Amino acid sequence: MHIAILKQDVEMVNELLKRGADVINARATGSCFVHFPVQNNNPCEYQLSFAACIGNKEVVTTLIEHNAPLEAQDSLGNTVLHVLVLQPEKKQAYDMYDLITSLVAEKQQQFVENIVNNDGYTPLKLAAAEGDFEMFNNLVQKQKKIYWTMGTICYCIYDLTNIDTWGDQTSVLDIITTSRNSEVRKLVDSKPVKELLHQKWNLFGHKYFLIWMFSYILYVIIVTVSSLYRPLKLIPADQSDNLTIKTQKTFTESYQTSEDYLRLVGELICVIGALVILLSEIPYLYKIGPKNYLGNTSIGGPFPLLLVCYSLLIAVAVILRVLGDSGEAVPLSLALVIGWCNTIYFARGFKMLGQFSIMIQKIIFGDFMQWCSLVFICITGFTSAFYVMFQTLDLKKYPYFKDFAMTMYTTVELMMGLIDLPIPYDTPTPSTIYIGYVLYMIFVYLLLLNLLIAMMDDTYWRIAYEREELWKVQIAATILLLERRLPSFLKVRSGVPGRSLGFDNDKWYIG
């Protein structure tokens, strides 16, 4: 039967059906059919799926008339409708999809269109995951209903099943906001998705986002004030090293006065906030996976990871405070830097600032990280060379090169143009040092720094055309994040229930 379908021999297909050919359970799983080129390397195991890929309408009609199952799923869980979504020849796929759905009852059509494959995708979700804008739009248009007409004007409503996140963990909105495929992001401007996001943002997203933003800023201010007034005491003169004059108080000494207890309130807010952040981010990390968690710009790029680091640093600071260790200043200062830098995340709520935050993320975690890897190799090499050159000299006259660590710090300062070559010019210095310095400045200061500028300029203009699209996806991701983290009594479903429109009671629609 598969060979007859492949040859588009309608007479042979009819003859085989007359002789009792099985069109319900028969499958082809050999490499000839599983990797047949017309279906983009997706298996067409069942006869109906294979015939749909070939594009012979007469054969498809005949098979359906002989009860070929539309709901049959291959080894990947794909039905005939899934397979059509994956077809490279879109015009043929559209026509075949329309033909197949027109040959069955509406109830059966809705049932088949809601079957999920092994990845949890219905045909509509699969079109979204593939970034196939044309197929996605075609399927959405098939599901729309005309609510009223007036002359040549009509008002259409769209079914939100599989699109909205309500009760669906793999909705189209989830696919758009978690995918790294640039073609998938374009779906944010498709007809029902755009209206749905606009309604969600106006209904609750904008309000709760502002509350979240101001709450976080207030929290960071409390953390900052509590850190600035952390408990310190003077070191006795006979124990001082003439550099450090204060040290950390012991835990008992830290909480004695009324001012200490006022600071304690701020510190408790700091710790509770860090704990809430950590407990909210870990399940999110588990759900989307480390790869998406760390690298997805729409979800937040580096900001979720920064929040986790911030929470862990606060935990370390608390432990050191209890132990009375003076090293508390290190994790606390790093936590403050991260806490304030994370406020850039909230720039996404504003169109102008949000697009520039995308630029910053792309440049820092794209060009800058690659450039730093190259510069680290060069600096290590030149640091070793400078250290070897100065080893035989009187290092008291060359304090900037007294050891390897200090030499590396000096080379970094030279690269940034912060200092000149730090040697006493009234003392004879070997010419090899000047030669090494000139080579270093040409290669690292002139060449690599200008390379970084060129890379950032290229990234800026490359991202400029898609930054608004990326910003819209970030807004969508923020809406979904707020929607899922809101208490159930604050959640409001978007759209209009079908029963109020005279359609299906269990569906919701949007105009």
Side-chain angles (χ1 to χ4, degrees), residues 11 70 97 103 176 187 189 291 418:
E11 293 183 4
L70 274 65
Y97 196 107
L103 294 175
I176 293 173
L187 297 177
D189 286 323
K291 185 177 180 180
L418 300 177

Side-chain angles (χ1 to χ4, degrees), residues 215-228:
S215 299
Y216 180 80
I217 293 174
L218 178 61
Y219 169 73
V220 173
I221 292 173
I222 292 173
V223 173
T224 304
V225 174
S226 301
S227 302
L228 294 177

Side-chain angles (χ1 to χ4, degrees), residues 223 226-227 230-231 248-249 251 254-255 267 270-271 274 309-336:
V223 173
S226 301
S227 302
R230 67 191 186 95
Q248 183 74 33
K249 288 183 179 180
F251 185 74
S254 298
Y255 305 101
E267 291 171 346
C270 169
V271 174
C309 293
Y310 166 83
S311 301
L312 295 177
L313 287 169
I314 291 296
V316 172
V318 170
I319 294 172
L320 294 178
R321 170 67 62 84
V322 173
L323 297 176
D325 194 304
S326 58
E328 172 197 323
V330 176
L332 195 59
S333 58
L334 291 175
L336 287 171

Side-chain angles (χ1 to χ4, degrees), residues 2-18:
H2 280 79
I3 295 173
I5 294 171
L6 175 61
K7 293 185 176 182
Q8 302 192 55
D9 190 341
V10 181
E11 293 183 4
M12 180 58 69
V13 170
N14 287 321
E15 182 65 26
L16 290 171
L17 290 172
K18 288 179 182 179

Side-chain angles (χ1 to χ4, degrees), residues 180-382:
R180 295 188 177 185
N181 186 347
S182 59
E183 296 299 319
V184 176
R185 293 198 300 263
K186 293 179 181 178
L187 297 177
V188 76
D189 286 323
S190 62
K191 181 68 174 177
V193 174
K194 184 177 181 180
E195 274 72 18
L196 179 60
L197 290 174
H198 181 73
Q199 187 177 111
K200 284 178 179 288
W201 182 249
N202 290 333
L203 189 63
F204 66 86
H206 185 257
K207 176 176 62 177
Y208 291 130
F209 179 81
L210 291 177
I211 293 174
W212 181 21
M213 180 182 70
F214 287 118
S215 299
Y216 180 80
I217 293 174
L218 178 61
Y219 169 73
V220 173
I221 292 173
I222 292 173
V223 173
T224 304
V225 174
S226 301
S227 302
L228 294 177
Y229 290 94
R230 67 191 186 95
L232 299 174
K233 64 180 179 179
L234 290 171
I235 300 176
D238 56 338
Q239 299 178 10
S240 176
D241 58 1
N242 296 324
L243 180 63
T244 306
I245 62 171
K246 290 184 179 182
T247 187
Q248 183 74 33
K249 288 183 179 180
T250 64
F251 185 74
T252 305
E253 295 173 333
S254 298
Y255 305 101
Q256 294 181 347
T257 66
S258 58
E259 289 81 3
D260 291 337
Y261 288 110
L262 180 61
R263 188 191 66 249
L264 177 62
V265 174
E267 291 171 346
L268 289 174
I269 294 174
C270 169
V271 174
I272 293 172
L275 183 62
V276 170
I277 290 171
L278 191 61
L279 293 178
S280 62
E281 291 298 328
I282 289 178
Y284 193 50
L285 168 63
Y286 177 77
K287 177 192 171 186
I288 67 174
K291 185 177 180 180
N292 277 330
Y293 186 85
L294 298 178
N296 197 313
T297 306
S298 60
I299 293 175
F303 295 110
L305 178 62
L306 289 177
L307 284 173
V308 173
C309 293
Y310 166 83
S311 301
L312 295 177
L313 287 169
I314 291 296
V316 172
V318 170
I319 294 172
L320 294 178
R321 170 67 62 84
V322 173
L323 297 176
D325 194 304
S326 58
E328 172 197 323
V330 176
L332 195 59
S333 58
L334 291 175
L336 287 171
V337 172
I338 293 174
W340 279 106
C341 288
N342 195 63
T343 56
I344 299 175
Y345 174 86
F346 296 99
R348 62 173 54 194
F350 309 94
K351 185 173 182 179
M352 183 183 69
L353 297 177
Q355 294 182 22
F356 281 105
S357 72
I358 292 171
M359 289 289 185
I360 293 172
Q361 292 178 52
K362 291 289 186 181
I363 290 174
I364 291 179
F365 292 92
D367 301 332
F368 190 70
M369 296 298 289
Q370 298 173 14
W371 180 82
C372 283
S373 301
L374 181 61
V375 166
F376 176 76
I377 296 173
C378 297
I379 287 181
T380 302
F382 277 100

